[in-house]
Amino acid sequence: MIRDLLLPQLAMGMSEGTIIEWAVAEGALVQRDQTLVSIETEKVVTDLPAPYRGYVHLTAKVGDVLPVETPMGQIAETEEEYRSLLAGSAPAPAAGTLLVQTKVGAAISVAGREPDSQPGRMRASGLAKAIARQNEIDLASLAGTGPGGRIVRRDVLAALASRSSAAPPAPKDATAAVGAMREKARIPMTGMRKVIAERMVASKTTAAHTYAFFEIDITKLLASRQTMLAREEELGSRVSLLAFQIRALAIACRHVPICNATLDGNAITVWDNVNVGIAVALPGKGEYDSGLVVPVLRNADAKGILEIDREIKTLVNRARNGELTAGDMADGTITVSSTGGFTPGVWCVSTPLLNLPQVVNFQPGSMLEKPVVIDGQVVVRSILPCGLSFDHRAVDGAPIGRFIQKLIDLLAHPELMLL
């Protein structure tokens, strides 16, 4: 039997994937669950296993960008079938055969998460290989700091930064005209940068972005957090302000469900799961290799502040170590894009772009102290400036007003988050 190998949909909203590397050669005999191909999608690289034993015929090349459920190759069960396949006399592949299940949670081998048991293969994550290839870095020259000595993203970025700092300065051209343009850097729009660019343009040109700006008095919240910080050793975590914000966001979604929705075509889907995407900046090792990913904290409405805080730290660490999978960034229903710490002591929020197909993106800014009037008296309070984007195609101003009021109430009175 000959079966098609189709590009699976690894996450909600995934429409295409890029072939980063074939782990096997044309005509190779592969075993079931052997690493077959590395696919880049959603700003991560995932290794996909062979679903069955057979001889591989590769129809897609490295660098090809394929729509979901497009054939990448074929597997022939016997050597005779493989030879007939090359000769063009093979029967049609079995209909409906997929490389792996197309739902998140399928049994896939994830780049950077499982040891590579194939002799002779470089022990490196798919993302590390992609970055190395784009920057012409020899992986054989690197020492891996990942599990089992595996080369991961941070190792390649460190090598890239060292190479940049060691490069000799370009000689000055004494004959250059005054005012001539001098290029400082040229950054290819590939890999993660390309995905970010495409998604931001799609968001800006597709959704009916509408913005709201407001302040929250978080004086009581900071006092509650200080109590938890005093018990940091007992709790086993230094609880972040973001944990409180995500807890409040999740509860607000329960009170105003339309804000916990996605818009796909002409249908608005309101979700029972409150899965909060957390925008994580990836500063990188050099000046120009920054990035952005959005791992998802699932069922946030069913978790307490301490559990949320621990999961935030786990997701952020995995993101910055290049260990996220496509599944880690799938199924988000609402996003928080915190800029806390970007401009300490300054009132500053921006207009966050929506993480399509979601319809709300909440952006808390940096806390600052400022005078406010309470009961006719001027007092100094701790104020949190906030911004919120929503897709007016799916959500109107009235529910957004209720949503914001609930956020304000919860963060101004943190004891309500315990009810």
Side-chain angles (χ1 to χ4, degrees), residues 261-273:
T262 56
L263 176 57
D264 186 7
N266 293 321
I268 302 169
T269 303
V270 179
W271 297 98
D272 188 49
N273 313 73

Side-chain angles (χ1 to χ4, degrees), residues 43-249:
K43 295 171 278 189
V44 297
V45 174
T46 300
D47 288 347
L48 301 181
Y52 26 70
R53 180 184 183 279
Y55 296 85
V56 180
H57 174 47
L58 310 181
T59 59
K61 304 184 299 296
V62 170
D64 284 354
V65 180
L66 305 177
V68 166
E69 297 190 4
T70 297
M72 301 182 291
Q74 296 169 307
I75 288 186
E77 190 171 357
T78 67
E79 191 171 0
E80 290 74 20
E81 288 177 334
Y82 173 72
R83 286 198 296 266
S84 65
L85 180 63
L86 294 184
S89 59
T97 304
L98 299 182
L99 175 60
V100 292
Q101 300 174 34
T102 58
K103 298 294 183 183
V104 173
I108 59 177
S109 173
V110 177
R113 301 294 294 174
E114 297 182 5
D116 190 344
S117 59
Q118 299 179 52
R121 284 199 68 207
M122 178 65 62
R123 293 177 57 81
S125 70
L127 184 56
K129 291 177 182 177
I131 298 173
R133 182 170 49 257
Q134 292 165 8
N135 293 278
E136 298 181 351
I137 294 176
D138 182 9
L139 286 174
S141 66
L142 305 185
T145 61
R150 192 178 180 92
I151 298 171
V152 293
R153 173 181 181 271
R154 60 175 174 266
D155 303 319
V156 182
L157 293 180
L160 182 60
S162 298
R163 186 174 70 180
S164 299
S165 61
K172 295 183 179 180
D173 185 358
T175 63
V178 175
M181 298 299 294
R182 297 185 302 277
E183 187 176 280
K184 185 172 184 178
R186 181 173 291 271
I187 306 158
M189 292 289 283
T190 59
M192 180 182 293
R193 190 77 262 156
K194 181 174 182 288
V195 174
I196 292 173
E198 290 173 348
R199 285 191 166 270
M200 294 300 97
V201 171
S203 176
K204 189 67 175 178
T205 57
T206 301
H209 280 77
T210 312
Y211 309 103
F213 304 97
F214 51 98
E215 293 182 342
I216 306 176
D217 185 341
I218 59 169
T219 306
K220 289 184 179 180
L221 175 59
L222 293 181
S224 297
R225 178 173 180 258
Q226 194 59 44
T227 300
M228 299 182 78
L229 293 181
R231 300 188 176 187
E232 177 181 347
E233 185 174 347
E234 176 186 342
L235 297 175
S237 181
R238 184 175 179 81
V239 179
S240 65
L241 189 59
L242 182 58
F244 288 90
Q245 294 165 349
I246 289 178
R247 172 67 175 160
L249 190 67

